[in-house]
PDB file of all heavy atoms in Angstrom:
ATOM      1  N   HIS A 358      70.026 -67.938 -48.172  1.00  0.00           N
ATOM      2  CA  HIS A 358      69.791 -66.507 -47.999  1.00  0.00           C
ATOM      3  C   HIS A 358      68.438 -66.160 -48.602  1.00  0.00           C
ATOM      4  O   HIS A 358      68.057 -66.719 -49.647  1.00  0.00           O
ATOM      5  CB  HIS A 358      70.873 -65.699 -48.716  1.00  0.00           C
ATOM      6  CG  HIS A 358      72.260 -66.108 -48.339  1.00  0.00           C
ATOM      7  ND1 HIS A 358      73.012 -65.414 -47.442  1.00  0.00           N
ATOM      8  CD2 HIS A 358      73.015 -67.171 -48.731  1.00  0.00           C
ATOM      9  CE1 HIS A 358      74.177 -66.013 -47.293  1.00  0.00           C
ATOM     10  NE2 HIS A 358      74.199 -67.089 -48.069  1.00  0.00           N
ATOM     11  N   PHE A 359      67.737 -65.232 -47.989  1.00  0.00           N
ATOM     12  CA  PHE A 359      66.447 -64.788 -48.514  1.00  0.00           C
ATOM     13  C   PHE A 359      66.577 -63.337 -48.949  1.00  0.00           C
ATOM     14  O   PHE A 359      66.948 -62.471 -48.162  1.00  0.00           O
ATOM     15  CB  PHE A 359      65.347 -64.951 -47.462  1.00  0.00           C
ATOM     16  CG  PHE A 359      65.140 -66.377 -47.087  1.00  0.00           C
ATOM     17  CD1 PHE A 359      65.651 -66.884 -45.904  1.00  0.00           C
ATOM     18  CD2 PHE A 359      64.473 -67.247 -47.942  1.00  0.00           C
ATOM     19  CE1 PHE A 359      65.475 -68.213 -45.561  1.00  0.00           C
ATOM     20  CE2 PHE A 359      64.295 -68.582 -47.611  1.00  0.00           C
ATOM     21  CZ  PHE A 359      64.798 -69.060 -46.413  1.00  0.00           C
ATOM     22  N   ILE A 360      66.280 -63.078 -50.224  1.00  0.00           N
ATOM     23  CA  ILE A 360      66.456 -61.753 -50.820  1.00  0.00           C
ATOM     24  C   ILE A 360      65.088 -61.249 -51.266  1.00  0.00           C
ATOM     25  O   ILE A 360      64.446 -61.874 -52.122  1.00  0.00           O
ATOM     26  CB  ILE A 360      67.429 -61.822 -52.018  1.00  0.00           C
ATOM     27  CG1 ILE A 360      68.755 -62.433 -51.558  1.00  0.00           C
ATOM     28  CG2 ILE A 360      67.614 -60.441 -52.648  1.00  0.00           C
ATOM     29  CD1 ILE A 360      69.629 -62.944 -52.669  1.00  0.00           C
ATOM     30  N   PRO A 361      64.634 -60.124 -50.700  1.00  0.00           N
ATOM     31  CA  PRO A 361      63.316 -59.612 -51.093  1.00  0.00           C
ATOM     32  C   PRO A 361      63.359 -58.890 -52.434  1.00  0.00           C
ATOM     33  O   PRO A 361      64.302 -58.162 -52.734  1.00  0.00           O
ATOM     34  CB  PRO A 361      62.965 -58.649 -49.964  1.00  0.00           C
ATOM     35  CG  PRO A 361      64.269 -58.226 -49.380  1.00  0.00           C
ATOM     36  CD  PRO A 361      65.232 -59.356 -49.610  1.00  0.00           C
ATOM     37  N   HIS A 362      62.352 -59.141 -53.258  1.00  0.00           N
ATOM     38  CA  HIS A 362      62.118 -58.437 -54.516  1.00  0.00           C
ATOM     39  C   HIS A 362      60.655 -58.009 -54.503  1.00  0.00           C
ATOM     40  O   HIS A 362      59.849 -58.553 -53.750  1.00  0.00           O
ATOM     41  CB  HIS A 362      62.363 -59.355 -55.721  1.00  0.00           C
ATOM     42  CG  HIS A 362      63.769 -59.872 -55.810  1.00  0.00           C
ATOM     43  ND1 HIS A 362      64.792 -59.149 -56.367  1.00  0.00           N
ATOM     44  CD2 HIS A 362      64.311 -61.051 -55.419  1.00  0.00           C
ATOM     45  CE1 HIS A 362      65.907 -59.865 -56.313  1.00  0.00           C
ATOM     46  NE2 HIS A 362      65.639 -61.027 -55.737  1.00  0.00           N
ATOM     47  N   MET A 363      60.285 -57.078 -55.339  1.00  0.00           N
ATOM     48  CA  MET A 363      58.895 -56.607 -55.358  1.00  0.00           C
ATOM     49  C   MET A 363      57.909 -57.724 -55.701  1.00  0.00           C
ATOM     50  O   MET A 363      56.787 -57.733 -55.224  1.00  0.00           O
ATOM     51  CB  MET A 363      58.716 -55.443 -56.334  1.00  0.00           C
ATOM     52  CG  MET A 363      59.356 -54.158 -55.859  1.00  0.00           C
ATOM     53  SD  MET A 363      58.769 -53.592 -54.255  1.00  0.00           S
ATOM     54  CE  MET A 363      57.055 -53.271 -54.592  1.00  0.00           C
ATOM     55  N   LYS A 364      58.325 -58.686 -56.502  1.00  0.00           N
ATOM     56  CA  LYS A 364      57.382 -59.740 -56.864  1.00  0.00           C
ATOM     57  C   LYS A 364      57.462 -60.967 -55.954  1.00  0.00           C
ATOM     58  O   LYS A 364      56.729 -61.929 -56.145  1.00  0.00           O
ATOM     59  CB  LYS A 364      57.552 -60.151 -58.322  1.00  0.00           C
ATOM     60  CG  LYS A 364      58.888 -60.723 -58.708  1.00  0.00           C
ATOM     61  CD  LYS A 364      58.858 -61.014 -60.200  1.00  0.00           C
ATOM     62  CE  LYS A 364      60.164 -61.527 -60.725  1.00  0.00           C
ATOM     63  NZ  LYS A 364      60.074 -61.825 -62.137  1.00  0.00           N
ATOM     64  N   GLY A 365      58.338 -60.944 -54.977  1.00  0.00           N
ATOM     65  CA  GLY A 365      58.429 -62.058 -54.047  1.00  0.00           C
ATOM     66  C   GLY A 365      59.829 -62.210 -53.481  1.00  0.00           C
ATOM     67  O   GLY A 365      60.649 -61.307 -53.558  1.00  0.00           O
ATOM     68  N   ILE A 366      60.069 -63.358 -52.909  1.00  0.00           N
ATOM     69  CA  ILE A 366      61.324 -63.644 -52.228  1.00  0.00           C
ATOM     70  C   ILE A 366      62.159 -64.602 -53.075  1.00  0.00           C
ATOM     71  O   ILE A 366      61.660 -65.600 -53.580  1.00  0.00           O
ATOM     72  CB  ILE A 366      61.057 -64.290 -50.852  1.00  0.00           C
ATOM     73  CG1 ILE A 366      60.131 -63.427 -50.000  1.00  0.00           C
ATOM     74  CG2 ILE A 366      62.360 -64.602 -50.121  1.00  0.00           C
ATOM     75  CD1 ILE A 366      60.666 -62.066 -49.644  1.00  0.00           C
ATOM     76  N   GLU A 367      63.429 -64.272 -53.220  1.00  0.00           N
ATOM     77  CA  GLU A 367      64.385 -65.174 -53.854  1.00  0.00           C
ATOM     78  C   GLU A 367      65.097 -65.947 -52.752  1.00  0.00           C
ATOM     79  O   GLU A 367      65.631 -65.355 -51.814  1.00  0.00           O
ATOM     80  CB  GLU A 367      65.407 -64.373 -54.657  1.00  0.00           C
ATOM     81  CG  GLU A 367      66.534 -65.207 -55.222  1.00  0.00           C
ATOM     82  CD  GLU A 367      67.598 -64.347 -55.917  1.00  0.00           C
ATOM     83  OE1 GLU A 367      67.399 -63.138 -56.105  1.00  0.00           O
ATOM     84  OE2 GLU A 367      68.645 -64.931 -56.261  1.00  0.00           O
ATOM     85  N   ALA A 368      65.068 -67.255 -52.823  1.00  0.00           N
ATOM     86  CA  ALA A 368      65.840 -68.104 -51.920  1.00  0.00           C
ATOM     87  C   ALA A 368      67.144 -68.436 -52.637  1.00  0.00           C
ATOM     88  O   ALA A 368      67.129 -69.038 -53.704  1.00  0.00           O
ATOM     89  CB  ALA A 368      65.068 -69.370 -51.583  1.00  0.00           C
ATOM     90  N   ARG A 369      68.256 -67.989 -52.078  1.00  0.00           N
ATOM     91  CA  ARG A 369      69.559 -68.166 -52.726  1.00  0.00           C
ATOM     92  C   ARG A 369      70.404 -69.145 -51.926  1.00  0.00           C
ATOM     93  O   ARG A 369      70.629 -68.945 -50.744  1.00  0.00           O
ATOM     94  CB  ARG A 369      70.283 -66.837 -52.842  1.00  0.00           C
ATOM     95  CG  ARG A 369      71.628 -66.962 -53.505  1.00  0.00           C
ATOM     96  CD  ARG A 369      71.834 -65.831 -54.483  1.00  0.00           C
ATOM     97  NE  ARG A 369      73.085 -65.977 -55.189  1.00  0.00           N
ATOM     98  CZ  ARG A 369      73.181 -66.456 -56.415  1.00  0.00           C
ATOM     99  NH1 ARG A 369      72.108 -66.823 -57.059  1.00  0.00           N
ATOM    100  NH2 ARG A 369      74.334 -66.534 -57.015  1.00  0.00           N
ATOM    101  N   ILE A 370      70.860 -70.175 -52.584  1.00  0.00           N
ATOM    102  CA  ILE A 370      71.697 -71.193 -51.962  1.00  0.00           C
ATOM    103  C   ILE A 370      73.140 -70.910 -52.348  1.00  0.00           C
ATOM    104  O   ILE A 370      73.451 -70.723 -53.523  1.00  0.00           O
ATOM    105  CB  ILE A 370      71.256 -72.592 -52.424  1.00  0.00           C
ATOM    106  CG1 ILE A 370      69.808 -72.823 -52.003  1.00  0.00           C
ATOM    107  CG2 ILE A 370      72.185 -73.657 -51.859  1.00  0.00           C
ATOM    108  CD1 ILE A 370      69.132 -73.952 -52.720  1.00  0.00           C
ATOM    109  N   GLU A 371      74.009 -70.863 -51.349  1.00  0.00           N
ATOM    110  CA  GLU A 371      75.419 -70.583 -51.601  1.00  0.00           C
ATOM    111  C   GLU A 371      76.294 -71.561 -50.829  1.00  0.00           C
ATOM    112  O   GLU A 371      75.854 -72.192 -49.869  1.00  0.00           O
ATOM    113  CB  GLU A 371      75.772 -69.154 -51.167  1.00  0.00           C
ATOM    114  CG  GLU A 371      75.076 -68.083 -51.975  1.00  0.00           C
ATOM    115  CD  GLU A 371      75.497 -66.676 -51.586  1.00  0.00           C
ATOM    116  OE1 GLU A 371      76.199 -66.502 -50.576  1.00  0.00           O
ATOM    117  OE2 GLU A 371      75.106 -65.752 -52.308  1.00  0.00           O
ATOM    118  N   ASP A 372      77.528 -71.630 -51.240  1.00  0.00           N
ATOM    119  CA  ASP A 372      78.581 -72.332 -50.504  1.00  0.00           C
ATOM    120  C   ASP A 372      78.231 -73.783 -50.191  1.00  0.00           C
ATOM    121  O   ASP A 372      78.382 -74.254 -49.064  1.00  0.00           O
ATOM    122  CB  ASP A 372      78.935 -71.595 -49.203  1.00  0.00           C
ATOM    123  CG  ASP A 372      79.342 -70.160 -49.440  1.00  0.00           C
ATOM    124  OD1 ASP A 372      79.895 -69.878 -50.517  1.00  0.00           O
ATOM    125  OD2 ASP A 372      79.104 -69.320 -48.567  1.00  0.00           O
ATOM    126  N   VAL A 373      77.784 -74.515 -51.193  1.00  0.00           N
ATOM    127  CA  VAL A 373      77.535 -75.948 -51.013  1.00  0.00           C
ATOM    128  C   VAL A 373      78.879 -76.649 -51.207  1.00  0.00           C
ATOM    129  O   VAL A 373      79.430 -76.648 -52.301  1.00  0.00           O
ATOM    130  CB  VAL A 373      76.503 -76.481 -52.026  1.00  0.00           C
ATOM    131  CG1 VAL A 373      76.230 -77.957 -51.777  1.00  0.00           C
ATOM    132  CG2 VAL A 373      75.222 -75.670 -51.974  1.00  0.00           C
ATOM    133  N   VAL A 374      79.406 -77.212 -50.141  1.00  0.00           N
ATOM    134  CA  VAL A 374      80.736 -77.827 -50.235  1.00  0.00           C
ATOM    135  C   VAL A 374      80.838 -78.989 -49.248  1.00  0.00           C
ATOM    136  O   VAL A 374      80.277 -78.957 -48.168  1.00  0.00           O
ATOM    137  CB  VAL A 374      81.860 -76.777 -49.999  1.00  0.00           C
ATOM    138  CG1 VAL A 374      81.796 -76.192 -48.619  1.00  0.00           C
ATOM    139  CG2 VAL A 374      83.230 -77.341 -50.273  1.00  0.00           C
ATOM    140  N   THR A 375      81.564 -80.010 -49.687  1.00  0.00           N
ATOM    141  CA  THR A 375      81.838 -81.189 -48.873  1.00  0.00           C
ATOM    142  C   THR A 375      83.334 -81.274 -48.617  1.00  0.00           C
ATOM    143  O   THR A 375      84.143 -80.965 -49.501  1.00  0.00           O
ATOM    144  CB  THR A 375      81.376 -82.462 -49.617  1.00  0.00           C
ATOM    145  OG1 THR A 375      79.980 -82.388 -49.841  1.00  0.00           O
ATOM    146  CG2 THR A 375      81.685 -83.720 -48.826  1.00  0.00           C
ATOM    147  N   HIS A 376      83.690 -81.689 -47.409  1.00  0.00           N
ATOM    148  CA  HIS A 376      85.097 -81.909 -47.070  1.00  0.00           C
ATOM    149  C   HIS A 376      85.705 -82.832 -48.130  1.00  0.00           C
ATOM    150  O   HIS A 376      85.141 -83.881 -48.452  1.00  0.00           O
ATOM    151  CB  HIS A 376      85.173 -82.521 -45.672  1.00  0.00           C
ATOM    152  CG  HIS A 376      86.543 -82.723 -45.153  1.00  0.00           C
ATOM    153  ND1 HIS A 376      87.502 -81.726 -45.147  1.00  0.00           N
ATOM    154  CD2 HIS A 376      87.128 -83.805 -44.600  1.00  0.00           C
ATOM    155  CE1 HIS A 376      88.615 -82.198 -44.613  1.00  0.00           C
ATOM    156  NE2 HIS A 376      88.404 -83.465 -44.277  1.00  0.00           N
ATOM    157  N   GLU A 377      86.817 -82.418 -48.710  1.00  0.00           N
ATOM    158  CA  GLU A 377      87.362 -83.084 -49.904  1.00  0.00           C
ATOM    159  C   GLU A 377      87.477 -84.609 -49.786  1.00  0.00           C
ATOM    160  O   GLU A 377      87.051 -85.325 -50.689  1.00  0.00           O
ATOM    161  CB  GLU A 377      88.713 -82.464 -50.273  1.00  0.00           C
ATOM    162  CG  GLU A 377      89.056 -82.659 -51.705  1.00  0.00           C
ATOM    163  CD  GLU A 377      90.136 -81.703 -52.186  1.00  0.00           C
ATOM    164  OE1 GLU A 377      90.721 -80.971 -51.373  1.00  0.00           O
ATOM    165  OE2 GLU A 377      90.372 -81.716 -53.392  1.00  0.00           O
ATOM    166  N   PRO A 378      87.994 -85.153 -48.688  1.00  0.00           N
ATOM    167  CA  PRO A 378      88.079 -86.620 -48.616  1.00  0.00           C
ATOM    168  C   PRO A 378      86.717 -87.316 -48.520  1.00  0.00           C
ATOM    169  O   PRO A 378      86.638 -88.534 -48.679  1.00  0.00           O
ATOM    170  CB  PRO A 378      88.881 -86.878 -47.330  1.00  0.00           C
ATOM    171  CG  PRO A 378      89.536 -85.599 -46.986  1.00  0.00           C
ATOM    172  CD  PRO A 378      88.693 -84.514 -47.586  1.00  0.00           C
ATOM    173  N   ARG A 379      85.646 -86.546 -48.290  1.00  0.00           N
ATOM    174  CA  ARG A 379      84.319 -87.132 -48.126  1.00  0.00           C
ATOM    175  C   ARG A 379      83.426 -86.928 -49.344  1.00  0.00           C
ATOM    176  O   ARG A 379      82.236 -87.225 -49.300  1.00  0.00           O
ATOM    177  CB  ARG A 379      83.644 -86.515 -46.887  1.00  0.00           C
ATOM    178  CG  ARG A 379      84.427 -86.664 -45.597  1.00  0.00           C
ATOM    179  CD  ARG A 379      84.630 -88.109 -45.184  1.00  0.00           C
ATOM    180  NE  ARG A 379      83.387 -88.775 -44.936  1.00  0.00           N
ATOM    181  CZ  ARG A 379      82.747 -88.798 -43.773  1.00  0.00           C
ATOM    182  NH1 ARG A 379      83.272 -88.213 -42.725  1.00  0.00           N
ATOM    183  NH2 ARG A 379      81.610 -89.433 -43.661  1.00  0.00           N
ATOM    184  N   ARG A 380      83.982 -86.431 -50.421  1.00  0.00           N
ATOM    185  CA  ARG A 380      83.184 -86.203 -51.629  1.00  0.00           C
ATOM    186  C   ARG A 380      82.728 -87.513 -52.241  1.00  0.00           C
ATOM    187  O   ARG A 380      83.276 -88.568 -51.962  1.00  0.00           O
ATOM    188  CB  ARG A 380      83.984 -85.389 -52.640  1.00  0.00           C
ATOM    189  CG  ARG A 380      84.174 -83.966 -52.161  1.00  0.00           C
ATOM    190  CD  ARG A 380      84.763 -83.077 -53.200  1.00  0.00           C
ATOM    191  NE  ARG A 380      84.909 -81.730 -52.641  1.00  0.00           N
ATOM    192  CZ  ARG A 380      85.728 -80.839 -53.097  1.00  0.00           C
ATOM    193  NH1 ARG A 380      86.464 -81.097 -54.154  1.00  0.00           N
ATOM    194  NH2 ARG A 380      85.800 -79.651 -52.533  1.00  0.00           N
ATOM    195  N   LYS A 381      81.699 -87.420 -53.068  1.00  0.00           N
ATOM    196  CA  LYS A 381      81.118 -88.576 -53.773  1.00  0.00           C
ATOM    197  C   LYS A 381      80.447 -89.555 -52.804  1.00  0.00           C
ATOM    198  O   LYS A 381      80.362 -90.747 -53.083  1.00  0.00           O
ATOM    199  CB  LYS A 381      82.173 -89.314 -54.616  1.00  0.00           C
ATOM    200  CG  LYS A 381      82.913 -88.444 -55.596  1.00  0.00           C
ATOM    201  CD  LYS A 381      82.082 -88.136 -56.784  1.00  0.00           C
ATOM    202  CE  LYS A 381      82.925 -87.392 -57.825  1.00  0.00           C
ATOM    203  NZ  LYS A 381      82.147 -86.593 -58.707  1.00  0.00           N
ATOM    204  N   GLN A 382      79.966 -89.024 -51.665  1.00  0.00           N
ATOM    205  CA  GLN A 382      79.262 -89.858 -50.693  1.00  0.00           C
ATOM    206  C   GLN A 382      77.823 -89.379 -50.483  1.00  0.00           C
ATOM    207  O   GLN A 382      77.158 -89.815 -49.549  1.00  0.00           O
ATOM    208  CB  GLN A 382      80.010 -89.877 -49.358  1.00  0.00           C
ATOM    209  CG  GLN A 382      81.382 -90.505 -49.450  1.00  0.00           C
ATOM    210  CD  GLN A 382      82.112 -90.487 -48.124  1.00  0.00           C
ATOM    211  OE1 GLN A 382      81.533 -90.444 -47.055  1.00  0.00           O
ATOM    212  NE2 GLN A 382      83.441 -90.530 -48.202  1.00  0.00           N
ATOM    213  N   GLY A 383      77.359 -88.445 -51.306  1.00  0.00           N
ATOM    214  CA  GLY A 383      75.982 -87.979 -51.208  1.00  0.00           C
ATOM    215  C   GLY A 383      75.742 -86.883 -50.187  1.00  0.00           C
ATOM    216  O   GLY A 383      74.597 -86.553 -49.884  1.00  0.00           O
ATOM    217  N   ILE A 384      76.805 -86.285 -49.672  1.00  0.00           N
ATOM    218  CA  ILE A 384      76.658 -85.274 -48.621  1.00  0.00           C
ATOM    219  C   ILE A 384      76.016 -84.000 -49.173  1.00  0.00           C
ATOM    220  O   ILE A 384      75.085 -83.458 -48.567  1.00  0.00           O
ATOM    221  CB  ILE A 384      78.021 -84.996 -47.946  1.00  0.00           C
ATOM    222  CG1 ILE A 384      78.477 -86.266 -47.209  1.00  0.00           C
ATOM    223  CG2 ILE A 384      77.934 -83.805 -46.994  1.00  0.00           C
ATOM    224  CD1 ILE A 384      79.905 -86.250 -46.739  1.00  0.00           C
ATOM    225  N   CYS A 385      76.489 -83.508 -50.315  1.00  0.00           N
ATOM    226  CA  CYS A 385      75.874 -82.307 -50.912  1.00  0.00           C
ATOM    227  C   CYS A 385      74.415 -82.574 -51.272  1.00  0.00           C
ATOM    228  O   CYS A 385      73.562 -81.711 -51.072  1.00  0.00           O
ATOM    229  CB  CYS A 385      76.665 -81.830 -52.122  1.00  0.00           C
ATOM    230  SG  CYS A 385      78.166 -80.951 -51.684  1.00  0.00           S
ATOM    231  N   ASN A 386      74.127 -83.752 -51.791  1.00  0.00           N
ATOM    232  CA  ASN A 386      72.735 -84.092 -52.103  1.00  0.00           C
ATOM    233  C   ASN A 386      71.872 -84.076 -50.843  1.00  0.00           C
ATOM    234  O   ASN A 386      70.737 -83.621 -50.868  1.00  0.00           O
ATOM    235  CB  ASN A 386      72.651 -85.458 -52.778  1.00  0.00           C
ATOM    236  CG  ASN A 386      73.101 -85.416 -54.219  1.00  0.00           C
ATOM    237  OD1 ASN A 386      73.184 -84.364 -54.828  1.00  0.00           O
ATOM    238  ND2 ASN A 386      73.394 -86.577 -54.756  1.00  0.00           N
ATOM    239  N   ALA A 387      72.413 -84.584 -49.741  1.00  0.00           N
ATOM    240  CA  ALA A 387      71.665 -84.588 -48.482  1.00  0.00           C
ATOM    241  C   ALA A 387      71.418 -83.159 -47.988  1.00  0.00           C
ATOM    242  O   ALA A 387      70.321 -82.843 -47.504  1.00  0.00           O
ATOM    243  CB  ALA A 387      72.410 -85.398 -47.431  1.00  0.00           C
ATOM    244  N   LEU A 388      72.410 -82.283 -48.121  1.00  0.00           N
ATOM    245  CA  LEU A 388      72.227 -80.883 -47.732  1.00  0.00           C
ATOM    246  C   LEU A 388      71.153 -80.221 -48.596  1.00  0.00           C
ATOM    247  O   LEU A 388      70.279 -79.513 -48.087  1.00  0.00           O
ATOM    248  CB  LEU A 388      73.550 -80.115 -47.846  1.00  0.00           C
ATOM    249  CG  LEU A 388      74.559 -80.378 -46.736  1.00  0.00           C
ATOM    250  CD1 LEU A 388      75.947 -79.940 -47.163  1.00  0.00           C
ATOM    251  CD2 LEU A 388      74.139 -79.668 -45.456  1.00  0.00           C
ATOM    252  N   ARG A 389      71.210 -80.449 -49.898  1.00  0.00           N
ATOM    253  CA  ARG A 389      70.222 -79.862 -50.809  1.00  0.00           C
ATOM    254  C   ARG A 389      68.825 -80.392 -50.489  1.00  0.00           C
ATOM    255  O   ARG A 389      67.861 -79.646 -50.467  1.00  0.00           O
ATOM    256  CB  ARG A 389      70.574 -80.194 -52.266  1.00  0.00           C
ATOM    257  CG  ARG A 389      71.727 -79.393 -52.811  1.00  0.00           C
ATOM    258  CD  ARG A 389      71.356 -77.954 -53.103  1.00  0.00           C
ATOM    259  NE  ARG A 389      70.130 -77.916 -53.857  1.00  0.00           N
ATOM    260  CZ  ARG A 389      69.011 -77.330 -53.414  1.00  0.00           C
ATOM    261  NH1 ARG A 389      68.974 -76.720 -52.288  1.00  0.00           N
ATOM    262  NH2 ARG A 389      67.919 -77.337 -54.157  1.00  0.00           N
ATOM    263  N   SER A 390      68.695 -81.670 -50.238  1.00  0.00           N
ATOM    264  CA  SER A 390      67.392 -82.242 -49.904  1.00  0.00           C
ATOM    265  C   SER A 390      66.851 -81.657 -48.609  1.00  0.00           C
ATOM    266  O   SER A 390      65.650 -81.405 -48.479  1.00  0.00           O
ATOM    267  CB  SER A 390      67.495 -83.760 -49.781  1.00  0.00           C
ATOM    268  OG  SER A 390      67.778 -84.327 -51.029  1.00  0.00           O
TER     269      SER A 390
END
Side-chain angles (χ1 to χ4, degrees):
H358 308 260
F359 297 102
I360 304 162
H362 299 277
M363 289 303 296
K364 62 182 177 178
I366 305 297
E367 173 185 352
R369 180 137 184 100
I370 299 163
E371 295 183 351
D372 304 330
V373 182
V374 63
T375 299
H376 184 51
E377 203 162 7
R379 303 298 298 272
R380 290 189 180 158
K381 305 284 187 204
Q382 296 179 25
I384 295 168
C385 283
N386 285 343
L388 284 162
R389 285 286 312 118
S390 293

